[in-house]
Amino acid sequence: MPVLPTLAAPLLRPHPRLPPPPPTAFSSSWSCQTKGRLLHPGLFATGADVPGCGGTLPEPEQRVPLLLAALRAARLREEESRRSDPLFIDPYAAVLLSLDVAHQASESLVSPLMPSADHYRLTTRYLDEKLQHLISRSDNFRQIVLLTDGMDTRPYRLSWPRMSIVYDVSPGRIFSTAAQQLRGAGAKISRNCVLFHTPLESPDLQEGLCKNGFNGNRPSLWVLQGLPLSSSSSFKRLLLVISNLAMKGGIFIGEVPEQDRLENLFFTHGFRVGFVLYENVAKDLGLDLAPEKEQCGRILFVAEQLRFSDAQMESFWTHFDRTEEDADEEGFEEL
């Protein structure tokens, strides 16, 4: 069986002057159901088709680790798309690289936030297939939340069912700059679908998604690849947000750094989770993953939400209160 070519480059340390993403990005003190009405973009989220204010990318010596990771991911997708037998095709990756780095060698686009090239390729292929399988087999998943690095092209390169709403959660400056470039190249989401962006830097991520129309009374599908998670606490806050928003039966798939008691962490937030080994993904594709690449400190997962969302609980209590009121009125009439 063929062996995955080695694409990884040596990792550089992040710039010491740059702080990690603010912890408030995953705040979850807001209820979708009680703030405003849905399906209208608000202060914390913007429609991706609305011109952004990203401007030009920083000079090379000023590039932050988040941008390096996003550019390196785009570079890997572009290289994979040019192979004779690619695991996936991303027709827009070269557009993103043309921002200002198309002339540079891939070795210059290194970041400690990225997995190895082999694992990135396998993860992208696996999540693409899993995502398309889930939305094709069910008419329920029309809310898709992509947790990304800001340069994810899935909204444009994948086919979405009619009336799908795709939410991209990612660093705002990177997304708005990439979106401008993609629009200029003619990239569009599937017909009768819409793409909204919620900046990772939002004071309250849960509020941002809800103000952009996310409905906790409808099924949702969440995909995690590339979103900066600076620590295990960041992932816990993210899980809390998803647990609050995702309707019972919602699906959460993606890649996450391995850590102790990860299964218990998912369960604590209402998820039943299963894990997928990279070597099994490679075998399913007829590929051999080099032994030294088998352990990368990351793991693929598929999780199902077993709890009711905040919106479902609010709807339940509203219905319960009305039922009690009706019962009281009927009893009063009988007297």
Side-chain angles (χ1 to χ4, degrees), residues 22-61:
T24 54
F26 297 119
S27 177
S28 60
S29 59
W30 200 84
S31 172
C32 294
Q33 207 62 5
T34 58
K35 296 286 185 179
R37 290 300 91 188
L38 305 179
L39 300 179
H40 295 284
L43 296 176
F44 294 91
T46 56
D49 293 329
V50 178
C53 55
T56 58
L57 291 174
E59 293 301 316
E61 64 273 10

Side-chain angles (χ1 to χ4, degrees), residues 192-215:
N192 296 317
C193 299
V194 64
L195 169 64
F196 289 126
H197 177 247
T198 300
L200 178 63
E201 303 83 359
S202 299
D204 190 320
L205 183 60
Q206 186 169 333
E207 179 179 5
L209 283 165
C210 292
K211 285 207 170 191
N212 221 13
F214 186 90
N215 188 343

